Amino acid sequence: MITAHLPSGYILARVNRRPSKPVFWACLLGAVWPDLDLLFFYFVDGRAVHHHRYWVHAPGFWLILLAVATPLALRLPAALKQAVFWFFAAWLTHLCLDSVAGGIMWLWPFSEQMFSLSTVQPTHTHFILSFMAHWSFMLEIMIWLVAGWLLLKRSPV
């Protein structure tokens, strides 16, 4: 996925009829959080290692983090406790979407093998054009359409 992570977070937030502000923002942040590694990828690593191989895209790391965060989150007020849960749900959604055509190390730390449903072949001069020509881009468009529809039909606060 290239563009659909933020709208997927919005869709996830809207699963709650009226999400609290912390839950709403946790869904949006969790949906894009793993891709903050792109800053490291472009500005520090010099694109030497695919960013899906960094720890923020490794489910095993996030399970460890979840195990540490859960006892701490249980001490938080209910609204923040829910926000922590939804942040991790949005992160998991991000990894699932990345698994469509991007590859995720689902078995890390036991294996560094990347798993994806399909592979985007370099059919065009730029990788973004190749992604846009791939069938998985239709899934991105559908996610945007659902998010837009939910935005338009939301009830006034």
Side-chain angles (χ1 to χ4, degrees):
M1 292 285 136
I2 294 176
T3 67
H5 292 304
L6 190 61
S8 75
Y10 181 77
I11 293 168
L12 191 62
R14 291 292 307 276
V15 166
N16 296 288
R17 289 272 185 232
R18 293 199 180 269
S20 66
K21 283 185 181 182
V23 167
F24 179 80
W25 289 107
C27 286
L28 294 183
L29 183 61
V32 297
W33 185 261
D35 279 344
L36 291 178
D37 65 2
L38 286 168
L39 296 171
F40 186 85
F41 177 71
Y42 282 110
F43 299 116
V44 177
D45 195 28
R47 298 186 287 183
V49 176
H50 191 282
H51 81 108
H52 283 190
R53 292 199 175 274
Y54 296 151
W55 59 270
V56 291
H57 276 90
F61 171 80
W62 284 93
L63 287 174
I64 293 167
L65 188 60
L66 180 61
V68 171
T70 298
L72 299 174
L74 291 175
R75 298 174 184 211
L76 295 172
L80 293 179
K81 191 183 312 180
Q82 289 176 350
V84 170
F85 167 79
W86 287 103
F87 175 86
F88 281 101
W91 154 81
L92 181 60
T93 301
H94 181 109
L95 294 185
C96 289
L97 290 174
D98 276 353
S99 294
V100 171
I104 292 295
M105 296 183 299
W106 283 103
L107 299 179
W108 184 91
F110 307 108
S111 170
E112 292 188 4
Q113 180 179 352
M114 303 284 271
F115 294 91
S116 67
L117 294 176
S118 65
T119 303
V120 177
Q121 299 298 328
T123 56
H124 291 77
T125 56
H126 195 276
F127 79 94
I128 291 179
L129 295 174
S130 296
F131 266 94
M132 290 176 69
H134 192 261
W135 66 263
S136 63
F137 195 69
M138 291 303 295
L139 177 59
E140 293 202 46
I141 292 170
M142 289 179 5
I143 291 169
W144 275 100
L145 290 173
V146 168
W149 178 73
L150 287 171
L151 180 66
L152 291 174
K153 77 171 218 84
R154 77 183 191 279
S155 57
V157 177

